[in-house]
Amino acid sequence: MTVDDGGFTMSSYTIRDYTPGDEKSWLRCRVLGFLDTAYYDSVERVKPPISIPGFELVAAGEDGTVAGLLDVSVDGEPATIETVAVHPDHRRRGLGRALLAEATARAAATSATTLDAWTRDDPDTLTWHRAMGFAESDHYLHVYANAYTDDAEPKRAIAERRPDLRPVVLFLHARLAEEERLRKEFARVHVCRRFAQPL
Ligand SMILES: CC(C)(COP(=O)(O)OP(=O)(O)OC[C@H]1O[C@@H](n2cnc3c(N)ncnc32)[C@H](O)[C@@H]1OP(=O)(O)O)[C@@H](O)C(=O)NCCC(=O)NCCS
């Protein structure tokens, strides 16, 4: 597809399948695509795989750089958009619309009869979904308990049993003496250390 930038240039993009060679560019596009949204701190360092019959689409610029991406998983019914992002420098050029059109056609060829997209309360993203014909229905909350925001939040979340709150991600501090035990229990453990030098 060719897009009139409104200036002296015309930009061409290709909607195609993701290939392993796109990974670095895909990850960068995702980070920057999410940076000004309600998913700003959702960062992947390795492309999450999508298994067949799901699919992974990208909108690639003339030099092959990923300018937009859309992943769909198909696990019975419905098909679900796992990730959609257009790089901020390439927005409002129809890339999101073109990616979705291709995704809709491909999803329709699977067993799925519905295309779901779960997203947060980011105004521009909501506007796009509505403009693309999605109808809004079920809602639930994403809640972060962050001591760097308010020291009391994590304690408030887990100090007592709260059946109304389901833990999904917790960020915890522990003593170095617990390292061996905690590394057996948790996949991601970092040793945070102080560096200092005299002034
Ligand atoms: C939503 C998103 C994918 C849209 O991509 P895009 O390529 O910029 O959108 P398109 O150019 O296809 O827009 C199609 C239509 O959607 C509407 N739209 C899109 N972005 C809009 C915005 N910021 N404000 C108002 N309307 C908007 C318009 O009607 C637009 O048509 P128009 O430009 O002819 O007026 C992009 O803004 C994005 O990556 N947002 C972050 C995504 C995100 O939060 N993902 C997390 C959930 S997985």
Side-chain angles (χ1 to χ4, degrees):
M1 61 184 287
T2 303
V3 175
D4 186 346
D5 281 343
F8 297 107
T9 57
M10 300 280 277
S11 300
S12 287
Y13 300 92
T14 306
I15 307 295
R16 60 165 172 79
D17 286 300
Y18 168 87
T19 65
D22 293 321
E23 185 174 29
K24 193 170 172 185
S25 185
W26 189 97
L27 292 167
R28 288 180 171 181
C29 180
R30 184 182 180 282
V31 167
L32 290 171
F34 282 9
L35 194 58
D36 61 349
T37 77
Y39 286 92
Y40 63 91
D41 55 352
S42 166
V43 177
E44 300 284 1
R45 301 181 69 213
V46 175
K47 163 113 178 47
I50 298 286
S51 53
I52 294 169
F55 49 88
E56 305 158 294
L57 300 174
V58 297
E62 288 166 15
D63 63 355
T65 304
V66 174
L69 53 96
L70 195 156
D71 277 6
V72 173
S73 66
V74 182
D75 185 10
E77 161 59 27
T80 303
I81 296 181
E82 296 293 341
T83 311
V84 57
V86 170
H87 188 295
D89 295 347
H90 300 266
R91 290 203 182 142
R92 298 301 290 271
R93 297 177 181 180
L95 297 190
R97 186 194 297 275
L99 285 163
L100 182 65
E102 178 66 18
T104 305
R106 294 214 193 177
T110 71
S111 60
T113 55
T114 311
L115 182 61
D116 273 12
W118 290 86
T119 195
R120 290 180 182 167
D121 39 11
D122 183 62
D124 290 349
T125 310
L126 295 180
T127 302
W128 179 78
H129 280 86
R130 288 173 185 140
M132 295 300 100
F134 286 98
E136 195 170 332
S137 56
D138 308 6
H139 303 83
Y140 70 106
L141 300 176
H142 286 180
V143 179
Y144 288 93
N146 189 337
Y148 290 113
T149 304
D150 173 351
D151 193 42
E153 280 190 0
K155 293 174 202 151
R156 210 176 286 141
I158 61 168
E160 61 188 66
R161 196 169 165 274
R162 297 277 303 266
D164 55 329
L165 293 179
R166 186 168 66 91
V168 177
V169 178
L170 290 174
F171 174 57
L172 306 150
H173 286 188
R175 289 178 299 113
L176 185 62
E178 301 297 320
E179 182 181 5
E180 192 179 336
R181 181 173 66 84
L182 292 174
R183 283 194 187 279
K184 286 182 188 144
E185 289 182 79
F186 300 99
R188 185 175 175 192
V189 175
H190 298 285
V191 177
C192 183
R193 64 208 66 211
R194 176 184 181 210
F195 285 105
Q197 59 174 293
L199 297 171

